[in-house]
Amino acid sequence: MREPEIGPEPLAADVLRRDRRVQQAKDLLLAAWSEIRSLLNGPRPACPGRATDYARAVEELGRLRGRELFFPYLASGIGRGPLVELADGSVKYDMISGIGVHVLGHSHPAMLSACVDAALEDTVVQGNLMQSRVVPAFLSRLLEAANRRGARLSHGFPTTSGAMANENALKIAFQKKHPASRLLAFAGSFAGRSLALSQVTDRPEYRQGLPETVRVDRIPFYDPARPDEGTRAAASALSRHLARHPGEHAAMFFELVQGEGGFYPGSRVFFRALMEILKKRGVIVIVDEIQTFGRTTELFAYSHFGLDEYVDIVTLGKLSHVCATLFRAELNPGPGLLSQTFTSSTAAFHAAIAILAELTEGGYYGPDGKVARLGALFAEGLRAIERRHPDLLTGPYGTGAMIACTPLGGDAGRVKAFLQKLYQAGVIAYSAGAPAGRVRFLPPFGCMDPDDVRAVLGILESTLVTVAGNNEAAAEEPHAEA
């Protein structure tokens, strides 16, 4: 962890961290963890003797939550890279990683070391009146990375979730542009499920019964089948909204790759055309990187698309563990607008610094970086499956380490059933799209190698063929007479 030096006298905290017994404890933990992790060599089914108690625990959690889990997933607390062990004794390839959170996979040594460092601190969480040196260490590293290609993001406010990062972005924009009260967003967008963000998210079912809090005008998203015409249509729609409500729009939300919507990337030309219009009209550009952060050929997707000069506010989260809202100096809000008792756990800050160090120093980005290579291998594997089974799968979709495919014609019910079968076979993935007819992968690329990718694709293909065969057999089975 990189921390600012404060004063010449040694701090008790630093003396503790440097104590040889602390390092010995770390070494012993890592050695024990390494030996245990070696037992996890690949997917395996659940232990029959654990089935009853495990099913009971899963059912109880569903009862306590008020709804059942999408997968019967209760982790044991250990894994090995892309493999995770569940409390029923099964081991699975985790290709959704908490919806994009665990970029270094399970039981990564850097995460263990970071969590031990966090345990040495006396506060479990950081917040408004309880911040340690780990907070400026995180923010300085993050802002340095954010501005590498010319963005002018001067400040960052950490928070506990992507939704809160987006809420803070909204508050900054509305305060700056008061009395403007409208927003712009893409059709098919997803920004979160809070009271305000449910209006930005283009899923009416997510705001059923909720009052309208923010008025949002929709712009059509990029259409790769007609890029020039689609870009002109989007620019025209934007201009119409701005003309119809002059001076009333505070900001526009940009998802540069639509995540929940189905893993649809835009293009540099498309985004620049819209952002040029917004800049001329004084409308704030908010880039939502909650899901894209770290998963394109650059650490920030706005750099991947060459949009650094346009961004005013950027939100990020998921794989960073600590979420944050980054913004330009001229948007720095007045006192009291941003203040949280908890801005994230101490362990999350330590982990975030370790993750940023790995990603910024580990050769992940650029056209030949690890993200591009892993994404290309995954994409080519999906194309090969499509060539062998054109009636069963189409794809790939997405970009970099955001990968998707459409199995079984994209029927939402069949895709949900397929995901459950895939889970049973040893691969965890998730749905996307509206309706949810697409399978998405957010692989833990920080710990994967080509053999892992090939193993996952093999399980995917065999499960797809099995499910399709079972469906055909069921369709051909004669119905019993009444």
Side-chain angles (χ1 to χ4, degrees), residues 63-192:
R63 184 190 69 78
L64 293 170
R65 286 171 15 117
R67 62 188 63 246
E68 66 180 15
L69 299 159
F70 186 86
F71 292 124
Y73 180 115
L74 287 176
S76 72
I78 197 171
R80 182 180 184 181
L83 295 166
V84 60
E85 181 187 64
L86 303 187
D88 63 357
S90 66
V91 177
K92 303 180 186 298
Y93 275 109
D94 185 1
M95 291 296 107
I96 195 63
S97 57
I99 313 188
V101 177
H102 308 296
V103 64
L104 301 185
H106 297 274
S107 299
H108 193 284
M111 294 294 97
L112 172 61
S113 181
C115 288
V116 171
D117 288 339
L120 295 176
E121 294 204 27
D122 69 329
T123 53
V124 175
V125 291
Q126 306 286 320
N128 185 32
L129 297 179
M130 47 184 180
Q131 299 179 89
S132 72
R133 293 176 294 171
V134 73
V135 178
F138 164 72
L139 286 175
S140 61
R141 183 182 282 270
L142 182 62
L143 286 165
E144 180 183 352
N147 293 315
R148 280 185 63 247
R149 296 187 178 275
R152 296 191 296 109
L153 301 167
S154 302
H155 308 295
F157 193 86
T159 188
T160 53
S161 72
M164 273 308 307
N166 278 341
E167 285 279 348
N168 288 335
L170 281 182
K171 292 196 294 182
I172 292 169
F174 280 130
Q175 186 180 80
K176 180 66 176 179
K177 302 302 293 185
H178 179 78
S181 61
R182 302 182 79 91
L183 292 173
L184 294 146
F186 289 117
S189 67
F190 182 92

Side-chain angles (χ1 to χ4, degrees), residues 409-481:
D411 177 82
R414 296 180 73 192
V415 168
K416 182 178 180 180
F418 171 71
L419 284 169
Q420 296 295 335
K421 292 293 185 183
L422 190 62
Y423 176 87
Q424 294 168 17
V427 172
I428 308 172
Y430 200 47
S431 59
R438 189 161 280 180
V439 170
R440 61 173 150 160
F441 304 94
L442 292 165
F445 58 84
C447 64
M448 291 186 71
D449 60 35
D451 287 341
D452 294 319
V453 176
R454 285 187 280 268
V456 167
L457 291 169
I459 296 171
L460 172 71
E461 183 172 12
S462 62
T463 304
L464 183 67
V465 172
T466 299
V467 169
N470 290 340
N471 289 340
E472 290 177 5
E476 294 172 0
E477 188 174 304
H479 295 288
E481 293 184 6

Side-chain angles (χ1 to χ4, degrees), residues 355-365 369-371 373 446:
I355 291 165
L356 286 175
E358 172 67 18
L359 296 184
T360 55
E361 300 165 11
Y364 286 90
Y365 300 107
K370 294 180 182 178
V371 171
R373 296 199 307 271

Side-chain angles (χ1 to χ4, degrees), residues 146-153 302-303 307-309 311 328:
N147 293 315
R148 280 185 63 247
R149 296 187 178 275
R152 296 191 296 109
L153 301 167
Y302 64 76
S303 294
L307 305 171
D308 303 71
E309 64 185 291
V311 298
R328 294 193 182 201

Side-chain angles (χ1 to χ4, degrees), residues 12-276:
D14 294 333
V15 173
L16 175 62
R17 285 198 189 101
R18 295 166 187 160
D19 190 288
R20 61 179 177 80
R21 290 167 294 183
V22 170
Q23 188 56 54
Q24 287 172 349
K26 273 190 178 184
D27 292 341
L28 287 170
L29 283 169
L30 285 167
W33 207 344
S34 179
E35 291 177 12
I36 299 303
R37 287 172 69 243
S38 67
L39 300 176
L40 309 178
N41 296 316
R44 68 181 181 221
C47 174
R50 296 180 177 273
T52 301
D53 288 344
Y54 187 81
R56 188 181 296 119
V58 169
E59 183 180 357
E60 176 65 4
L61 178 55
R63 184 190 69 78
L64 293 170
R65 286 171 15 117
R67 62 188 63 246
E68 66 180 15
L69 299 159
F70 186 86
F71 292 124
Y73 180 115
L74 287 176
S76 72
I78 197 171
R80 182 180 184 181
L83 295 166
V84 60
E85 181 187 64
L86 303 187
D88 63 357
S90 66
V91 177
K92 303 180 186 298
Y93 275 109
D94 185 1
M95 291 296 107
I96 195 63
S97 57
I99 313 188
V101 177
H102 308 296
V103 64
L104 301 185
H106 297 274
S107 299
H108 193 284
M111 294 294 97
L112 172 61
S113 181
C115 288
V116 171
D117 288 339
L120 295 176
E121 294 204 27
D122 69 329
T123 53
V124 175
V125 291
Q126 306 286 320
N128 185 32
L129 297 179
M130 47 184 180
Q131 299 179 89
S132 72
R133 293 176 294 171
V134 73
V135 178
F138 164 72
L139 286 175
S140 61
R141 183 182 282 270
L142 182 62
L143 286 165
E144 180 183 352
N147 293 315
R148 280 185 63 247
R149 296 187 178 275
R152 296 191 296 109
L153 301 167
S154 302
H155 308 295
F157 193 86
T159 188
T160 53
S161 72
M164 273 308 307
N166 278 341
E167 285 279 348
N168 288 335
L170 281 182
K171 292 196 294 182
I172 292 169
F174 280 130
Q175 186 180 80
K176 180 66 176 179
K177 302 302 293 185
H178 179 78
S181 61
R182 302 182 79 91
L183 292 173
L184 294 146
F186 289 117
S189 67
F190 182 92
R193 302 172 197 254
S194 68
L195 195 58
L197 294 173
S198 63
Q199 312 296 320
V200 182
T201 294
D202 192 16
R203 298 289 288 271
E205 63 270 27
Y206 291 173
R207 51 181 179 270
Q208 184 176 358
L210 302 180
E212 184 180 51
T213 55
V214 180
R215 293 183 179 178
V216 182
D217 296 309
R218 302 281 172 195
I219 308 298
F221 194 66
Y222 177 70
D223 184 353
R226 41 194 287 275
D228 295 337
E229 184 182 351
T231 298
R232 288 193 294 270
S236 177
L238 174 59
S239 297
R240 286 197 304 273
H241 286 308
L242 294 172
R244 185 175 182 181
H245 306 284
E248 295 184 31
H249 292 97
M252 180 168 176
F253 258 85
F254 282 82
E255 257 188 306
L256 303 181
V257 182
Q258 291 198 326
E260 302 290 326
F263 279 31
Y264 295 104
S267 78
R268 182 173 186 267
V269 171
F270 174 77
F271 293 130
R272 285 175 66 95
L274 301 181
M275 290 179 180
E276 288 281 1

